[in-house]
Amino acid sequence: MTVHVIMGERELELEGPYLTQLKESNDILNDEQALRERLREDGYLFIRGFHDRDRVLRAKLSFLQRMAGQGKLAEGTAIEDGIINEANRGASFQGSERQPQELLDVVNGPSTMKFFDRFLGGESMTYDYKWVRAVQTGGFTGAHYDIVYMGRGTTNLYTLWTPLDDIPYELGGLAVLLGSQHFDRIRETYGQMDVDRDRVDGWFTDDPIELIEKYGGRWATAQFRAGDAIIFGMYTMHGSLTNRTNRYRLSADTRYQLKSEPADERWVGAKPKGHYAWHSGATVKMEDARAKWGV
């Protein structure tokens, strides 16, 4: 059966010219050198069952209970189903003080930190600032590099994307653009941007096909299960499928690096300041910035 997904406003066929499946890396999970080589080559690591599933689902419930208290869930429905009410408003839980222990048990837990110690070849650290998102019906994330948001420390920084629920295609999971870490022209222009310094919109594009037709590559995604994880570097272009359901898509973004390397000061400490200038005034449209860069 042919599977079609929506990414932004585009319809893509799975295993068609623009979209394929993510490759799992569980076969090399205990081989650090092989993991590093695969990440350099593919731009990501997709690991099934990376986290304890029960802990992830406890984290999910903690956020849905908070959202129920905010009146974001449909009345008369089970909290754990995450059914969106008529207002259809997304939610984000960002920072260090707002995160429940249930989430920290997953993303700061011993098994996660030990993995990054092994993968990075030394004592690792995670940014204190955490990003958790509840994406509404019709919501999605456009294509972007993470470096433009957190590029003031080491570039040997890695994102861990953790789905906090089972996420079929229609719920709008993560998608990675294969080969995008090698798009030199984009790395030399957009990839040098700092959203606080330059005040440019962060997404490179909300059209997934435009990137492929101009620079190559192919999008890759999967149907995720609570407990799965994707790890990728700062120059891997990624975004998400569009949520076509009446349920919230819940996920967490957390970052890891060697403790011995410089960290971006916006995201560490007891009270990380986060973005301080990006939307404090006029913002440059990405289409204008791209015209200037010639990309």
Side-chain angles (χ1 to χ4, degrees):
M1 182 179 68
T2 302
V3 175
H4 291 87
V5 306
I6 303 298
M7 190 171 184
E9 297 182 358
R10 294 278 205 165
E11 182 176 307
L12 306 180
E13 180 183 335
L14 189 63
E15 302 308 340
Y18 300 112
L19 182 69
T20 188
Q21 292 273 6
L22 290 165
K23 179 170 63 180
E24 297 176 20
S25 287
N26 293 71
D27 59 322
I28 56 171
L29 189 55
N30 295 315
D31 186 338
E32 291 79 22
Q33 185 59 35
L35 288 170
R36 295 182 197 116
E37 290 174 0
R38 181 167 292 181
L39 191 142
R40 277 194 296 270
E41 180 65 25
D42 295 349
Y44 73 95
L45 299 171
F46 175 33
I47 302 172
R48 294 281 191 189
F50 181 82
H51 303 292
D52 179 85
R53 178 180 173 86
D54 289 338
R55 291 191 179 202
V56 171
L57 293 176
R58 285 196 289 272
K60 165 200 166 183
L61 184 59
S62 71
F63 285 105
L64 288 177
Q65 288 171 334
R66 189 180 299 185
M67 293 168 67
Q70 296 171 345
K72 286 187 166 68
L73 302 185
E75 292 185 10
T77 62
I79 289 176
E80 59 269 22
D81 290 340
I83 305 298
I84 306 168
N85 67 13
E86 292 181 357
N88 190 37
R89 292 177 180 167
S92 62
F93 305 90
Q94 300 183 17
S96 59
E97 297 180 356
R98 302 180 184 180
Q99 304 306 338
Q101 188 60 45
E102 290 88 346
L103 176 72
L104 300 181
D105 287 343
V106 175
V107 299
N108 287 18
S111 64
T112 298
M113 299 311 300
K114 287 178 181 176
F115 170 85
F116 281 100
D117 287 350
R118 290 192 299 110
F119 176 69
L120 297 173
E123 185 180 2
S124 63
M125 61 169 281
T126 179
Y127 282 180
D128 300 293
Y129 198 104
K130 311 297 184 189
W131 294 256
V132 177
R133 295 178 176 86
V135 178
Q136 74 279 16
T137 304
F140 70 98
T141 301
H144 65 282
Y145 282 161
D146 279 350
I147 193 70
V148 304
Y149 303 102
M150 52 198 65
R152 297 186 182 180
T154 179
T155 57
N156 296 318
L157 176 68
Y158 296 90
T159 292
L160 173 67
W161 183 79
T162 299
L164 298 180
D165 199 356
D166 295 336
I167 300 182
Y169 298 125
E170 61 269 21
L171 198 54
L174 192 81
V176 170
L177 184 56
L178 305 179
S180 56
Q181 72 273 26
H182 303 304
F183 292 173
D184 290 343
R185 184 60 185 152
I186 296 180
R187 287 180 60 134
E188 293 164 359
T189 53
Y190 168 72
Q192 302 301 311
M193 188 185 81
D194 179 309
V195 294
D196 283 307
R197 181 193 66 216
D198 303 317
R199 297 187 183 183
V200 179
D201 293 338
W203 293 357
F204 185 79
T205 182
D206 59 6
D207 182 352
I209 294 179
E210 175 204 5
L211 267 166
I212 294 173
E213 291 181 338
K214 193 167 185 179
Y215 295 98
R218 197 179 185 200
W219 289 99
T221 191
Q223 302 203 80
F224 301 99
R225 300 189 289 269
D228 295 344
I230 301 180
I231 298 162
F232 52 91
M234 292 294 101
Y235 294 100
T236 295
M237 195 74 74
H238 59 285
S240 80
L241 307 186
T242 301
N243 183 358
R244 295 182 288 147
T245 76
N246 66 344
R247 297 171 51 226
Y248 280 108
R249 189 267 277 170
L250 283 160
S251 62
D253 297 336
T254 47
R255 271 80 194 191
Y256 305 82
Q257 65 169 75
L258 283 172
K259 195 172 184 179
S260 60
E261 295 188 348
D264 190 322
E265 78 283 354
R266 291 170 290 184
W267 313 112
V268 295
K271 294 183 178 181
K273 64 182 176 182
H275 292 305
Y276 58 88
W278 184 15
H279 290 295
S280 63
T283 302
V284 178
K285 292 182 179 180
M286 180 56 70
E287 59 189 85
D288 294 334
R290 286 181 56 183
K292 181 179 179 180
W293 298 329
V295 294

